[in-house]
């Protein structure tokens, strides 16, 4: 049996991702968006109405900015990371140097992210786990022999990506 999220919870998540604040009212929940617009979500919300509310918000505000892409999938336990058995690819080292120049990222911040992450997600697209900290995401793949390898470093939010884009490659058009 699969557990399906309640429509009010889905709307709450979508609205909060768009920056809305919530205030419980007598007949439902009132959400106030950063531009001052408000939307009352009734207590007896059904899925059809929930989809309309979320679609309307998406048309008005766009999609919520995403930083690191990935999800925590049910049944997938986050693997234990042994820092003594951790390597980094040349690409990850290049990204570290670039992020250091762009925003002062230090090795200590990467290590803190690996030891005390805000969240850990599975990136199906890249087949790696991503430990996410305040400013940085660390993509790690595990080898069969138990060693782990940092594949790349990412900015943890869309805002950081906008502030610190990757430089264009010389041969790209």
């Amino acid at each position: 049996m699969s557990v399906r999220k309640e429509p009010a919870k889905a709307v709450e998540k979508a609205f909060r991702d768009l920056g809305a604040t919530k205030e419980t009212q007598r007949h439902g929940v009132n959400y106030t968006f950063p531009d001052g617009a408000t939307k009352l979500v009734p207590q007896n919300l059904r899925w059809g109405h929930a989809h309309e509310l979320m679609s309307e918000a998406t048309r008005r505000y766009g999609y919520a900015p995403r930083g690191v892409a990935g999800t925590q999938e049910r049944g997938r336990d986050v693997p234990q990371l042994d820092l003594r058995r951790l390597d980094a690819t040349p690409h990850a080292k290049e990204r570290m140097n670039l992020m250091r120049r762009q925003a002062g990222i230090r090795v200590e911040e990467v290590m803190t992210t690996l030891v005390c992450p805000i969240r850990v997600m599975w990136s199906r697209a890249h087949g790696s786990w991503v430990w996410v900290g305040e400013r940085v995401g660390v993509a790690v793949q595990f080898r069969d022999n138990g060693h782990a390898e940092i594949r790349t470093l990412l900015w943890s939010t869309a805002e950081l990506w906008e502030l610190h884009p990757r430089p264009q490659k010389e041969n790209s058009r």
Side-chain angles (χ1 to χ4, degrees), residues 37-165:
T38 61
K39 185 58 79 175
L40 179 66
V41 176
Q43 291 176 345
N44 59 351
L45 184 66
R46 300 209 181 265
W47 275 109
H49 189 202
H51 287 294
E52 288 175 21
L53 290 170
M54 291 186 287
S55 294
E56 180 183 318
T58 300
R59 279 193 302 277
R60 182 172 182 152
Y61 302 107
Y63 290 95
R66 296 284 184 226
V68 174
T71 60
Q72 178 62 52
E73 298 177 11
R74 281 201 170 135
R76 281 200 87 128
D77 293 329
V78 175
Q80 288 291 92
L81 188 60
D82 183 352
L83 298 178
R84 296 169 298 178
R85 302 174 81 187
L86 179 67
D87 298 320
T89 65
H91 171 75
K93 292 173 185 175
E94 288 172 20
R95 287 287 298 150
M96 178 68 207
N97 288 330
L98 175 62
M99 293 169 85
R100 178 182 296 134
R101 290 191 308 272
Q102 289 178 322
I105 295 290
R106 297 175 41 155
V107 171
E108 292 82 5
E109 186 170 353
V110 173
M111 298 310 283
T112 299
T113 298
L114 292 171
V115 174
C116 302
I118 293 171
R119 67 184 181 274
V120 180
M121 299 181 303
W122 171 251
S123 172
R124 185 179 301 169
H126 298 100
S128 63
W129 288 95
V130 183
W131 274 256
V132 182
E134 277 188 47
R135 298 193 306 162
V136 68
V138 184
V140 177
Q141 286 183 337
F142 287 84
R143 299 187 203 133
D144 291 338
N145 64 4
H147 280 61
E149 183 175 58
I150 298 174
R151 303 293 294 174
T152 192
L153 299 177
L154 312 160
W155 294 113
S156 62
T157 67
E159 292 82 15
L160 286 169
W161 278 108
E162 286 180 29
L163 287 171
H164 311 293

